[in-house]
Amino acid sequence: MRILKYLSAVIVSLTMFAATPEKLTVYVGTYTGGTSKGIYAYEFNTSDGSLKQVGLAAETPSPSFLAIHPNNQFLYAVNELDNFNGEKAGAITGYKIDPANPAKLTKINTVSSKGAHPCHIIVDKSGKHVLVANYTGGNVVAYPIDAEGKLAEKPSAFIQHTGSSVDKSRQKEAHAHSINLDSAQRFAFVADLGLDKIMIYKFDPAAGTLSTHAPFGTIKPGGGPRHLAFSPDGKRAFANHEMTGEITGFNYDPAAGTLTPFQTLSTLPGGNPVPGNSTAEILVHPTGKFVYCSNRGHNSIAVFTVAADGKLTYVENESTRGKTPRNFNIDPTGKFLIAANQDSDSLAVYKIDQSKGSLEPVGDVVSAPKPVCIKFFSGK
């Protein structure tokens, strides 16, 4: 059984590699201010892991999180603001990607996010809707996308969260931090840091609507769930706790749309707390064999292997060679990981050991102004 599982992972890895061009465009979302002006483009080599800056792809305020349309013709960014056209809200901006010159993005339109400080965005598999989580607003919103990539003027869904949790310095109100869909596009999952809950909603992919679904996924009090990552087979999900530096693994029932927790463990060596540390991003490797989570403060990526029952086993914490690692991403081949160090203005590349999941630094860090989000673009 173990041999079959290993061969399956190898086949997945080889298939990804065969379908991926040698050179990819990498889009980097940033917080603007100082030298940072918006979304930047980089060129990434999938053979040797080398990375070099191409230039500014689009000037726009604080595009802190990005999403690429499944047709690879459009890119969407949240503008993490608290005032948009006099409204207590941020914004969502759509761009056209030129396949001949993907390093330059052409703006399509901008709409209100309907809540302050939007911090996470996805596009559904059909490419018909964007879905956004507003951190300070404590709400989520969805907008239709037309055939030309334009966002509708009015949202198709809006849900306001209410409530609080135990840490009144951070959790006196709702803080929607991310939104994800399951592989069947039937349910949406919103990690709310302020409520210590993974809220679950029914999603109508045709209408782009969200409706209440119970029960929610629970996080231990004071954990502060931030992001959620599903395993490739869709049977499990992993959420990182921003405030306590932990990960909770859930079994997922796709028919019922429910999350059942089975494990919580630390993202730090020996489980020893580090003052001021908080987690940022969590990802499952495309093979499903490894889980990664970034630590701000400890300035590392925590690495875990995934057992057949979904349980995680600690491997290592690898330094990000910079300060305050936010989002990171794994390239389409599954061979490399790039981490965004927000407070040291740098990107760090790592080669992934395909048997252990451990990370090996590749080259020197690459300059990037206040990087927050990384998206790979293959053009296919």
Side-chain angles (χ1 to χ4, degrees):
M1 189 68 181
R2 288 183 179 179
I3 293 175
L4 288 174
K5 186 177 179 182
Y6 173 77
L7 288 175
S8 176
V10 170
I11 291 170
V12 169
S13 181
L14 289 173
T15 301
M16 289 187 298
F17 181 74
T20 304
E22 182 181 44
K23 293 184 178 179
L24 304 177
T25 296
V26 176
Y27 294 111
V28 177
T30 71
Y31 281 128
T32 50
T35 61
S36 181
K37 303 298 181 185
I39 303 170
Y40 288 82
Y42 289 73
E43 183 183 275
F44 180 71
N45 189 307
T46 59
S47 295
D48 60 16
S50 59
L51 180 71
K52 64 179 182 181
Q53 188 180 103
V54 178
L56 182 65
E59 185 169 352
T60 188
S62 291
S64 64
F65 217 88
L66 313 174
I68 296 174
H69 193 283
N71 68 10
N72 280 323
Q73 295 179 24
F74 314 117
L75 178 146
Y76 297 91
V78 295
N79 297 107
E80 194 169 331
L81 309 170
D82 62 3
N83 188 305
F84 177 71
N85 290 344
E87 181 184 1
K88 190 175 177 57
I92 311 164
T93 302
Y95 295 92
K96 173 72 175 177
I97 300 173
D98 181 353
N101 184 18
K104 289 295 181 183
L105 300 171
T106 302
K107 180 179 174 180
I108 302 171
N109 73 322
T110 300
V111 298
S112 168
S113 69
K114 300 300 180 183
H117 298 118
C119 58
H120 194 257
I121 183 170
I122 60 170
V123 181
D124 72 331
K125 284 184 179 179
S126 71
K128 293 181 179 179
H129 300 91
V130 297
L131 297 94
V132 168
N134 293 298
Y135 179 79
T136 302
N139 53 49
V140 292
V141 66
Y143 276 93
I145 303 169
D146 72 14
E148 302 302 316
K150 185 178 181 180
L151 297 168
E153 292 301 316
K154 294 183 179 180
S156 55
F158 175 85
I159 294 182
Q160 180 66 51
H161 291 180
T162 59
S164 61
S165 194
V166 296
D167 187 338
K168 299 310 176 185
S169 68
R170 296 285 311 277
Q171 297 178 309
K172 64 181 181 180
E173 58 194 3
H175 292 301
H177 221 313
S178 63
I179 184 164
N180 295 89
L181 294 170
D182 65 353
S183 60
Q185 310 287 276
R186 294 182 61 224
F187 297 99
F189 304 82
V190 182
D192 195 304
L193 179 146
L195 306 183
D196 280 327
K197 296 175 181 178
I198 310 292
M199 306 300 290
I200 306 173
Y201 300 103
K202 291 180 181 178
F203 176 65
D204 183 334
T209 55
L210 297 167
S211 56
T212 301
H213 179 72
F216 46 78
T218 57
I219 298 291
K220 75 177 190 179
R226 180 181 173 98
H227 283 188
L228 187 75
F230 279 92
S231 59
D233 63 9
K235 294 180 179 179
R236 295 177 182 89
F238 302 90
N240 62 309
H241 306 199
E242 174 175 327
M243 295 166 59
T244 57
E246 295 172 305
I247 294 172
T248 291
F250 297 90
N251 287 315
Y252 177 56
D253 183 337
T258 55
L259 294 170
T260 304
F262 61 84
Q263 182 188 28
T264 295
L265 76 172
S266 174
T267 62
L268 295 169
N272 298 314
V274 173
N277 185 69
S278 62
T279 65
E281 185 60 272
I282 186 166
L283 287 180
V284 182
H285 190 270
T287 61
K289 295 165 57 179
F290 317 116
V291 166
Y292 300 89
C293 185
S294 57
N295 284 297
R296 299 171 292 180
H298 191 254
N299 296 325
S300 67
I301 303 289
V303 182
F304 303 87
T305 56
V306 184
D309 61 0
K311 288 189 176 180
L312 304 181
T313 299
Y314 175 79
V315 175
E316 67 172 358
N317 279 81
E318 178 66 34
S319 168
T320 60
R321 297 179 281 165
K323 296 179 181 179
T324 319
R326 293 289 296 262
N327 173 251
F328 58 88
N329 213 340
I330 298 168
D331 85 305
T333 71
K335 295 196 307 178
F336 296 99
L337 179 150
I338 303 178
N341 291 305
Q342 177 189 334
D343 290 337
S344 56
D345 297 327
S346 64
L347 303 173
V349 181
Y350 298 87
K351 186 175 182 179
I352 299 172
D353 185 302
Q354 298 300 303
S355 62
K356 298 183 296 183
S358 55
L359 303 175
E360 178 186 349
V362 175
D364 297 326
V365 296
V366 178
S367 176
K370 296 184 180 179
V372 180
C373 180
I374 295 168
K375 292 294 179 183
F376 290 93
F377 175 73
S378 66
K380 294 183 179 181

